[in-house]
Amino acid sequence: MGETTLVVGRSLRTLALTELQVDGQPRMLNEDAYHDALLDATGLTSFPDWILVLRYLTFYFEDRRSLVWDPSAQHQILRLLFLPPDESVKWTTLEADALRIDSHVRNISALLHREEASISRAEQTTLIRPEVEARINDLGLQQDRDQAEFERVQEMLLDIEAERQGARLEALRAAEDREAVYREIEHRRLIDLQAAFPSKSESAGYILGYLLASQTCLACGNDAPEAAELLWRRVDEHKCVICESAIERPDSLAPDVNLEELNHALRAREDRLEEATKRRTEAEATYRSTVAQLAQLESAIANRSAELNHLVKQLPAGSQQVHERRKEYNALSASLEVRRAELVRAQQTFKAFVEQKKQTIFSFREEVKANFKAYARDFLLGTCDLIWQSRKTKVGQSGDTIDFGTFAVDMSASDSGLLVRRTGAGEVSESQREFIDLAFRMALMKVAGVGGRGSLVVDAPESSLDAVFAPRAADVLMRFGNPDAGNRLVITSNLVDGELIPTLLRLAGVSEQDDSRVVDLFEIAYPTAAVRELRGEYNIALARVFQGRNQ
């Protein structure tokens, strides 16, 4: 596979692995190791994708499935051939998620439909009290709404508590920052106040210092803020508070930080503290309100639950059972709505991804069409073209359609020669169907294969070919399998009369039965009863096939 050589041995009795080598190195004999080796060699990302490639590209067996007329298979093959591995994996993952949820939704819907019919029949045959049943239903609906609201508020309270704690911490930090700057200003004022009273007059210093600190005059006992402001201004200007004479302050008392800068920093921190305090107050109020709302809901749910229990006990025994079933039905119905919302999201996600990535696949279309036309021209008479078309389909059984691009076939009509869209394999002859699908597979290998190379395993290719078309098919197959092209071609066939196998042998240059390219099952397989009894006739038929190479 590419540059990797795999050697695989299996027991014909049990099909269990008996040998596994990768480039000459033995590997563990288990299927997982075998799958990993395959995926590493091919560049694919899943074993199902490998089976898909074999089924629709490499193996062309008797029960062959037509790829060119199978849009579902096409979009998977195009996905794994033309998208990078990680994007191919994401495609299948998103698609699988949507399909899984769709299946779950359909299962729940079917269950609800059956249960609704069953409950309705039970309600019709059970003696009930209509007024009690109506009250129970009303209370049940209210209980469901309040329970859902209670759970929502509980989840919301976690975020509110986190916001509250954050606001508290921010307010504490803002208060600490403001206090630090305020203490620095007080320290600065204390230094300035000491410098304002260079004399040893303690009485004067005390009286004036008290006025500066408290804005109260000790002489008259009155508030004197204007006088205090005047004295502080003289202190800040390094003047005597009494005579306004200039005072030389010792260098040891000179502050490192300008008082105006400190005051500006204090105002900024006070603004921050105000905002933090406001946020904390609002957070506390929201928390208290939410806790009160939660308590109110809890009380209402508890009271209503008690009332519901009392009402249910008033119903006859059969009615109680019907009520419980209806309650379970309502809960399952609510779950279904949640699942439907999940399905819509999954389908929309997948749809958006497909819309984004299908352009990558679209970019290869002209190259595929050109290679198909070349192969089809050799296979068929007349004109046969690939057409890229939009194909809308649903992923699952509900929801919006998704637009997948796929190839379709236009082929000239035998009577008019005009190109006609062939929407299904039934609109062409059996041999045309074989050739068209082979040409499509070869074109995909040519475009997507590393170096334009691929492998083709064809089983019983002569089954639908007439004598005229058999040599043409042999010619195209052999040109595909030419060693110079780097492709690999394996043909399996019964001993049949016809020109295909002899022509293939002649074009391949096979002249003897013991040629290394020929696997003779008459020699290596366990003989059937027919072979044991008619071996001579089979030998004559086999010789005739090889003799036909010269005809």
Side-chain angles (χ1 to χ4, degrees), residues 7-12 14-20 27 29 31:
V7 177
V8 182
R10 289 188 182 274
S11 164
L12 290 182
T14 66
L15 295 184
L17 283 167
T18 59
E19 183 182 11
L20 178 60
R27 294 287 181 91
L29 295 180
E31 295 298 326

Side-chain angles (χ1 to χ4, degrees), residues 35-223:
H35 292 179
D36 291 343
L38 281 172
L39 299 181
D40 289 342
T42 59
L44 298 174
T45 56
S46 72
F47 191 70
D49 278 353
W50 166 245
I51 298 300
L52 199 65
V53 169
L54 293 182
R55 199 74 180 101
Y56 282 97
L57 283 181
T58 303
F59 290 167
Y60 201 67
F61 291 169
E62 281 191 290
D63 62 342
R64 37 190 165 260
R65 300 179 184 180
S66 174
L67 177 61
V68 75
W69 282 293
D70 189 339
S72 297
Q74 261 199 60
H75 88 249
Q76 294 295 347
I77 288 290
L78 296 177
R79 179 262 306 169
L80 65 88
L81 289 182
F82 297 120
L83 288 183
D86 57 334
E87 293 179 0
S88 179
V89 169
K90 186 173 182 180
W91 178 304
T92 55
T93 300
L94 294 177
E95 186 176 22
D97 287 344
L99 290 171
R100 174 179 51 79
I101 299 174
D102 177 75
S103 177
H104 197 182
V105 166
R106 287 187 285 107
N107 290 339
I108 295 178
S109 297
L111 177 61
L112 284 174
H113 180 74
R114 293 193 300 269
E115 188 65 9
E116 172 63 27
S118 177
I119 292 174
S120 297
R121 289 193 300 269
E123 287 175 339
Q124 293 173 5
T125 59
T126 302
L127 180 63
I128 62 173
R129 294 175 57 185
E131 71 284 357
V132 175
E133 187 72 17
R135 178 60 177 164
I136 289 175
N137 290 335
D138 290 341
L139 290 176
L141 293 174
Q142 295 176 30
Q143 193 79 325
D144 290 341
R145 287 194 295 267
D146 278 3
Q147 187 63 45
E149 180 67 8
F150 181 83
E151 293 171 0
R152 186 190 70 81
V153 174
Q154 265 190 325
E155 293 179 0
M156 187 173 64
L157 186 62
L158 296 176
D159 296 333
I160 293 174
E161 172 62 15
E163 172 67 18
R164 173 177 171 242
Q165 295 297 336
R168 282 181 167 183
L169 182 60
E170 177 63 20
L172 288 173
R173 288 174 176 170
E176 289 177 358
D177 290 347
R178 186 262 178 199
E179 185 63 23
V181 176
Y182 182 78
R183 284 196 297 268
E184 180 64 23
I185 291 176
E186 288 294 310
H187 177 67
R188 161 69 190 272
R189 285 289 178 90
L190 179 61
I191 292 174
D192 288 341
L193 195 58
Q194 291 174 355
F197 299 101
S199 70
K200 297 183 179 179
S201 175
E202 294 181 1
S203 298
Y206 175 74
I207 293 172
L208 294 174
Y210 190 86
L211 175 61
L212 287 168
S214 65
Q215 297 186 348
T216 301
C217 179
L218 285 176
C220 65
N222 291 322
D223 293 336

Side-chain angles (χ1 to χ4, degrees), residues 512-524:
E512 302 295 338
Q513 293 176 221
D514 59 357
D515 190 290
S516 62
R517 290 169 290 174
V518 176
V519 178
D520 188 351
L521 294 182
F522 286 115
E523 296 296 330
I524 65 173

